[in-house]
Amino acid sequence: MTDYKLYINGEFRESSDGRTFNAINPYDRTVLAVLPLASLNDVRDAISSARHAFDSGVWSNKSREERSVIIKQIADKVKENSAYLQELLIRESGSTFKKAKDDLYLTYRAASTFAKYALENLDEKLDISKQGVSENILVREPVGVVSAIIPWNFPLQMAMWKIAPALAAGCTIVLKPAPETSVTALELAKLIDQTDLPKGVLNVITGDAEAGEEMVTNPMVDKVSFTGSTEVGRKVMKLASSNLKKITLELGGKSSSIILDDADLDLAVDGSAYACYFHMGQCCVAGSRLITTDKIHDEVIDRLKTKLSKMKIGNPMEKDTDIGPLVSESQLKRVLNYIELGKKEGAELVFGGSVPEGFTGYFVEPTLFTNVTNVMRIAQEEIFGPVLSVMKAKDENDAIRLANATQYGLAGGIWSRDREKALNLARKLRAGTVWINEWHLLNDRAPFGGYKQSGIGRELGIEGLKEYTELKHIHIDEILDRKKKFWYNVTVPEE
Ligand code: NAD
């Protein structure tokens, strides 16, 4: 068990009141590490260190090239240490070997992408030739001190989706990982400490909702960038409104995978299973609703059952494991409660639904419900586990209507051989990301975020970078003769 400490102002230190919490390995319920629980004083120290670093200009006054070099150093540190981080990630979160490998690669890739974006000059000159003799410049400036709060499902990737663009924009940061996955966040802090990033620019504190609420309300913070559940997101928005902080919210989802009659069923069924069961369904973009027409419904279900029966439930350290444990006991209880609820609501359980035998960790079988209707809670609420709800649609338009009839709008997908038809339907889906014949694939240059109650704002891409900036308009007037000024003629009588 390594000794972990809070990372504040470039130093590693204990929690000021000595409180700790345990990181549990979800595969065997053993204690993986003892972590410091940040006190309110620690959170305030971290925020004031980020404030001081920002106001001193030690980071924001660096050239774009200098910032880019340091963000690339961070990317390289992640790459050099990816085998070690990957193993820890599996131990702390139950991520399968394959998923943890993805997480590490995408963490590295996000840092590399924003190292490149850091070089871009986002300022613009407006063409106002018809409006007189003046110059209008739009300047993008760093928004300031950022509170970054992240969930446990893709901990390193989510951390880098916030750290890298915030640094590229010139901001300073306090990062709080979820308690379940704080080990890798503090390991990341150790690696970043070895780069040339000036002290105080990044601070990492481990704590619970109390620490999170201080990060959201503290007047020294300019922006809150939150990723987590819609429920907590609503609370964060309310709290951040007390001093009108800028916010980005990346929240929950209940995304629909729509298989059209003309789809390649080998691809569509494999893809829909991947959409839902990857990382045991603990993905914000999980395709946890499957919509088909009557015509192909039974064949899709038969194929899905065959696919699920071949999935290997097991030790997440083994390379061929498809289904590992859920992240925590509370997550296991939540998923089992939803499975019971689905049965009570009248859905038909056609695969899984139980805790598999022979494991001590938080395992649940991949689970499939048919005869689900859109009013059922298992069709509407984010279960965040390996549970797929299948619904029937009358036709393509009905499929889109069903897919859009949720409070969420994070993602969706269409499986079809007809490119134009699929594209046309994709435009009708009210979601931030729509895949056609694909799922889970994200591009760091394409913005990611939610419609409706799946969020506010975007991460990734230039749009994601701009979320960490303020926009200033500078007007330079070429007319220096006071009497020729418009305001002079309006407000001062002619002599
Ligand atoms: P969560 O909302 O419970 O917690 C997220 C983070 O918020 C954690 O760090 C937690 O400690 C902190 N927190 C909890 N209460 C808080 C409060 N009152 N004030 C401030 N911070 C508080 O979510 P989770 O269980 O860690 O993660 C799962 C959720 O995250 C799912 O809903 C999933 O869809 C969502 N998610 C969304 C995206 C996205 O990009 N849209 C990505 C990953 C996960």
Side-chain angles (χ1 to χ4, degrees):
M1 260 189 274
T2 322
D3 185 18
Y4 286 101
K5 299 203 167 101
L6 307 169
Y7 183 56
I8 299 174
N9 202 26
E11 283 166 12
F12 289 92
R13 51 156 124 150
E14 312 277 356
S15 152
S16 60
D17 58 12
R19 283 186 301 164
T20 57
F21 66 100
N22 291 342
I24 305 290
N25 181 337
Y27 174 61
D28 56 13
R29 303 183 190 224
T30 55
V31 176
L32 175 67
V34 179
L35 299 157
L37 185 69
S39 67
L40 278 182
N41 281 339
D42 297 324
V43 184
R44 287 173 190 152
D45 276 358
I47 294 171
S48 84
S49 135
R51 182 80 260 165
H52 180 74
F54 185 77
D55 293 342
S56 72
V58 66
W59 184 244
S60 57
N61 287 347
K62 282 206 186 302
S63 69
R64 288 196 288 274
E65 289 72 18
E66 286 170 319
R67 291 209 290 258
S68 171
V69 166
I70 294 176
I71 300 169
K72 187 68 177 60
Q73 287 176 356
I74 294 174
D76 292 342
K77 281 283 169 200
V78 170
K79 193 174 186 180
E80 286 157 23
N81 293 279
S82 59
Y84 170 65
L85 287 172
Q86 185 184 332
E87 186 177 329
L88 266 183
L89 185 59
I90 297 170
R91 291 194 195 285
E92 78 172 349
S93 67
S95 295
T96 59
F97 186 91
K98 292 181 247 191
K99 181 268 178 184
K101 201 169 178 191
D102 263 18
D103 204 335
L104 259 303
Y105 169 66
L106 294 170
T107 306
Y108 162 75
R109 199 181 71 179
S112 303
T113 303
F114 281 100
K116 286 186 200 127
Y117 276 152
L119 295 169
E120 298 214 10
N121 181 358
L122 299 179
D123 296 352
E124 285 174 57
K125 240 181 199 182
L126 283 186
D127 177 10
I128 43 77
S129 48
K130 291 190 191 108
Q131 285 184 24
V133 195
S134 63
E135 203 178 321
N136 287 249
I137 306 171
L138 303 186
V139 183
R140 289 273 172 187
E141 295 179 346
V143 69
V145 174
V146 175
S147 278
I149 302 176
I150 54 170
W152 44 260
N153 61 339
F154 285 80
L156 286 166
Q157 195 187 340
M158 293 298 103
M160 200 55 80
W161 279 21
K162 301 202 185 299
I163 293 172
L167 291 181
C171 297
T172 61
I173 309 155
V174 177
L175 174 81
K176 192 195 88 57
E180 294 84 346
T181 49
S182 293
V183 169
T184 46
L186 289 176
E187 289 290 343
L188 184 64
K190 286 185 197 170
L191 295 177
I192 294 179
D193 187 61
Q194 294 164 20
T195 69
D196 294 326
L197 191 71
K199 66 179 188 172
V201 175
L202 172 72
N203 304 271
V204 182
I205 52 147
T206 47
D208 52 17
E210 185 192 39
E213 290 192 8
E214 179 62 22
M215 290 169 69
V216 173
T217 48
N218 190 298
M220 283 191 280
V221 171
D222 299 294
K223 171 173 173 116
V224 176
S225 180
F226 174 84
T227 301
S229 61
T230 295
E231 191 189 349
V232 177
R234 278 192 203 104
K235 206 167 183 185
V236 164
M237 186 166 175
K238 216 176 199 173
L239 290 171
S241 73
S242 62
N243 41 25
L244 276 179
K245 293 188 199 314
K246 309 285 176 277
I247 51 168
T248 309
L249 300 175
E250 297 291 345
L251 308 177
K254 190 80 185 175
S255 302
S256 297
S257 175
I258 301 174
I259 305 186
L260 300 184
D261 292 353
D262 67 359
D264 171 341
L265 286 191
D266 283 341
L267 174 70
V269 170
D270 262 21
S272 296
Y274 175 57
C276 178
Y277 300 104
F278 177 58
H279 195 29
M280 291 69 79
Q282 302 169 122
C283 299
C284 54
V285 293
S288 50
R289 292 147 52 92
L290 177 79
I291 303 176
T292 70
T293 59
D294 246 344
K295 192 172 162 197
I296 53 169
H297 176 272
D298 292 354
E299 186 173 357
V300 166
I301 299 303
D302 284 348
R303 284 173 181 246
L304 262 177
K305 285 200 281 191
T306 308
K307 171 87 192 161
L308 296 188
S309 64
K310 289 182 182 158
M311 278 187 168
K312 183 187 158 193
I313 304 177
N315 185 341
M317 283 289 179
E318 288 166 12
K319 287 187 181 170
D320 58 346
T321 294
D322 299 302
I323 301 283
L326 300 178
V327 74
S328 62
E329 179 138 32
S330 66
Q331 195 60 22
L332 176 63
K333 280 189 187 144
R334 175 189 169 92
V335 173
L336 292 174
N337 281 342
Y338 270 109
I339 292 171
E340 282 314 303
L341 179 71
K343 291 189 232 166
K344 280 193 202 124
E345 286 183 306
E348 193 180 339
L349 178 69
V350 295
F351 196 92
S354 308
V355 169
E357 283 177 12
F359 297 102
T360 46
Y362 311 123
F363 282 86
V364 63
E365 292 169 338
T367 298
L368 182 62
F369 278 110
T370 58
N371 284 329
V372 177
T373 63
N374 214 15
V375 293
M376 291 181 186
R377 283 179 59 195
I378 59 160
Q380 289 294 332
E381 296 176 16
E382 187 181 41
I383 298 173
F384 226 54
V387 181
L388 180 57
S389 298
V390 184
M391 291 183 283
K392 277 187 197 169
K394 291 189 207 88
D395 54 29
E396 286 152 12
N397 286 331
D398 194 38
I400 297 295
R401 182 191 63 77
L402 279 172
N404 284 337
T406 80
Q407 64 167 335
Y408 295 110
L410 193 58
I414 293 163
W415 305 89
S416 167
R417 286 193 175 91
D418 184 336
R419 185 183 183 279
E420 286 314 305
K421 181 167 66 181
L423 192 53
N424 188 27
L425 293 173
R427 289 184 201 280
K428 294 182 181 169
L429 278 178
R430 304 260 306 140
T433 299
V434 179
W435 287 283
I436 296 175
N437 297 323
E438 182 54 84
W439 206 283
H440 287 301
L441 210 59
L442 295 176
N443 181 337
D444 289 347
R445 306 189 86 83
F448 174 78
Y451 280 34
K452 300 193 272 181
Q453 293 189 46
S454 286
I456 295 177
R458 292 292 180 269
E459 290 197 298
L460 303 181
I462 285 290
E463 287 80 359
L465 178 57
K466 286 181 180 170
E467 298 276 359
Y468 291 94
T469 64
E470 283 280 18
L471 185 56
K472 180 181 281 174
H473 169 207
I474 301 178
H475 177 113
I476 310 169
D477 211 309
E478 303 296 330
I479 302 169
L480 299 178
D481 178 351
R482 191 172 69 96
K483 289 185 184 168
K484 288 187 184 156
K485 294 278 188 190
F486 173 68
W487 55 264
Y488 176 86
N489 290 329
V490 172
T491 57
V492 184
E494 287 292 327
E495 287 161 11

